[in-house]
Amino acid sequence: MISLRGVYIIWLRDIKRFLRDRARIIAAMAQPALYLFVLGTGLGAAIGRSGDYIKFIYPGIIGMTLLFTSIFSAISIVWDREFGFLKEILVAPISRSTVALGKAFGGSTIAMIQGTMLLIFAPFVGVSLSFLMVLKLFAVMFLIAFSLTSMGIVVAARLKTMEGFQMIMNFLMMPLFLLSGAMFPLKGLPEWMNFLVKMDPLTYGIDALRYIVIGIHSYSLPYSLVMVLSFGAVMISFAIYAFNRQN
Amino acid sequence: MSIIEVNNLTKKFGDIEAVKGISFKVEEGEVFGFLGPNGAGKTTTINILCTLLNPTSGEAVLNNFNVVNNPNEVRRSIGLVFQDPSLDERLTARENLEFHAMIYNVPRSERNERIKNVLEMVELSERQNDLVRNYSGGMKRRLEIARGLLHYPKVLFLDEPTIGLDPQTRNHIWTHIRELKKKENVTVFLTTHYMDEAENCSRIAVIDYGEIVALDTPSNLKAQVGGDVLTLKTGNDEIAALRLKEDFGLDVKLVPSESEGTNSSGIYFEIENGDKFIPKLIKEADLNILSINLRKPTLDDVFLKLTGHAIREEKADVSTFHRAHMRMGRR
Ligand SMILES: Nc1ncnc2c1ncn2[C@@H]1O[C@H](COP(=O)(O)OP(=O)(O)OP(=O)(O)O)[C@@H](O)[C@H]1O
Ligand SMILES: [Mg+2]
């Protein structure tokens, strides 16, 4: 039912489109840089621990970039629908499951490229990365990007037009980002917020990234990875299901 | 076994019944035409046959596969040119074609050759490396058709393929389609409201308000219209129609007016041996005749006769085209 060739063709198209616009790839680094250096420096100074704080949020900002890029890539399905290209894909001789997987791999590859580009900020925030750390980061970034893209596909399969996008931004992406502990330690929080934090899959992803980059963590690495992995498995299953009902 | 078999197919969109229980068969190697006005249900039927839509009831079988139960097998048997735009505007023309060739399993050794051929057919070879978003509307349409002819399916669906194209390009495309049919025994399923295009078909289903009102070869359909069609422009159409009815016992109809304020823009009737009737008409009828036009019956006349209204009476024509372009323009 799932053809690897089909997955590759769908993936290749997304990658071609992404690489075409080099200026945008660079420009996409502006937002994380602002968060990292401006917000990081400002808030760091406010709590009197400037250098530490930037280091602390650095993995969080990588997680944020993965989140935004993954969802944006998945949402491109809605553009494809509006421009009619989705029809070309949906009548092609490959199964809907293949299309969903191709989209998931395409989106996660793109998110990983953007996430990886942030690694050049490491020296500026005082983090030194070893080769082994980078390999580990790749693996974790892929897991995070794959689950988030799959979640994006589930949403995009239901979204008929781009008009609903603002809702996605306000009610999905921002809460996921803010509750993930990207910007603050997950200690001494009120119970209601603690609950929401634990419901946020990105919490575990960012915890794992932080574990690898600076050794600070709230959960054990295996626990975090299992959480991200399970979330990813559920989301890709939903994505495949949603695509199979697509018309 | 026919290549397409449709039984009692219906499709409802809420209250609108777009397809009302149609049945027909298409034989392998045919060029089968769907002829009907805007909103008749042509695209809806195609969307069901190509697995993009599920029918409300009824059954459709293509290449021996049921479109609802075996969508993957059906998709492996078909190719499509959609009515609405369906290109990736952020890729170049060539990349669009390569994507299609890959996903339809065109052998690598033949890919370049075929891409070259279809690009030549629609005269886009020189612009093949431009992004599609920089193409004009007509160029996009041509690319869309080129893409549809890149692989050789069992059944090729063409939904109003040549709308908005110049006659020369239309000729190129039809030559190519006929060749494809001959060499690869492709069955072509065509929708159109261009009568001259419908003449390319081996058989035509005339569809109106979701129902098939006639299904036959173009010549048999035309034979349903008795003899020739004579159209007159007169000083007063109502009076002229009345006189002709009384004096010659003719079944005279008014040509629907194209401009506001007048009821008709002439009258017409069917008559055997129209060329002999004209001198008689001029000698005997006391009418203020401004012009006379005699012609063989066309599918337009067939349509009018079968449904009582002209195929392009409705002004929706403009709006569907407009809708397609709005969509292309946004981004
Ligand atoms: N997705 C949809 N939702 C609601 N109504 C629809 C939908 N698609 C088609 N219709 C309706 O079904 C009817 C048939 O539409 P269809 O597109 O099949 O017509 P058509 O014969 O292809 O016309 P045209 O010549 O304009 O392409 C129309 O009344 C149309 O408004
Ligand atoms: Mg149509």
Side-chain angles (χ1 to χ4, degrees), chain B residues 13 16-18 36-45 53 83 159-160 193 320 323:
Chain B
F13 296 106
I16 303 170
E17 197 169 8
N38 292 135
K42 304 182 294 292
T43 301
T44 305
T45 308
L53 272 183
Q83 179 176 11
D159 199 354
E160 319 224 358
H193 43 222
T320 39
R323 170 159 47 88

Side-chain angles (χ1 to χ4, degrees), chain A residues 1 5-6 8-10 12-13 16-17 20-21 24 79-96 163 246-247, chain B residues 50-54 72 75-76 80 82 84-92 95-96 98-100 102-105 131 147 327-328 330-331:
Chain A
M1 270 298 276
R5 234 190 83 262
Y8 167 71
I9 299 167
I10 299 288
L12 185 66
R13 165 187 174 243
K16 271 191 188 160
R17 283 167 58 109
R20 169 139 299 136
D21 209 350
R24 208 187 55 187
W79 281 119
D80 284 347
R81 193 198 313 282
E82 289 207 26
F83 276 79
F85 191 74
L86 191 64
K87 281 188 294 186
E88 157 85 350
I89 297 176
L90 291 182
V91 296
I94 55 174
S95 66
R96 300 280 157 91
E163 277 142 37
Q246 188 69 215
N247 57 34
Chain B
C50 76
T51 77
L52 278 179
L53 272 183
N54 278 330
N72 287 323
R75 287 202 282 270
R76 251 175 251 137
L80 272 138
F82 295 102
D84 293 333
S86 65
L87 297 163
D88 186 342
E89 305 215 345
R90 301 214 164 196
L91 294 181
T92 65
E95 284 167 340
N96 268 285
E98 279 166 351
F99 176 88
H100 188 91
M102 280 172 84
I103 213 155
Y104 281 89
N105 265 319
L131 286 184
R147 185 180 66 181
R327 222 183 276 177
M328 292 198 279
R330 241 190 291 153
R331 176 172 276 198

Side-chain angles (χ1 to χ4, degrees), chain B residues 142-155:
Chain B
R142 269 142 63 194
L143 178 61
E144 199 119 19
I145 296 171
R147 185 180 66 181
L149 300 180
L150 210 47
H151 75 288
Y152 304 150
K154 279 269 182 198
V155 181

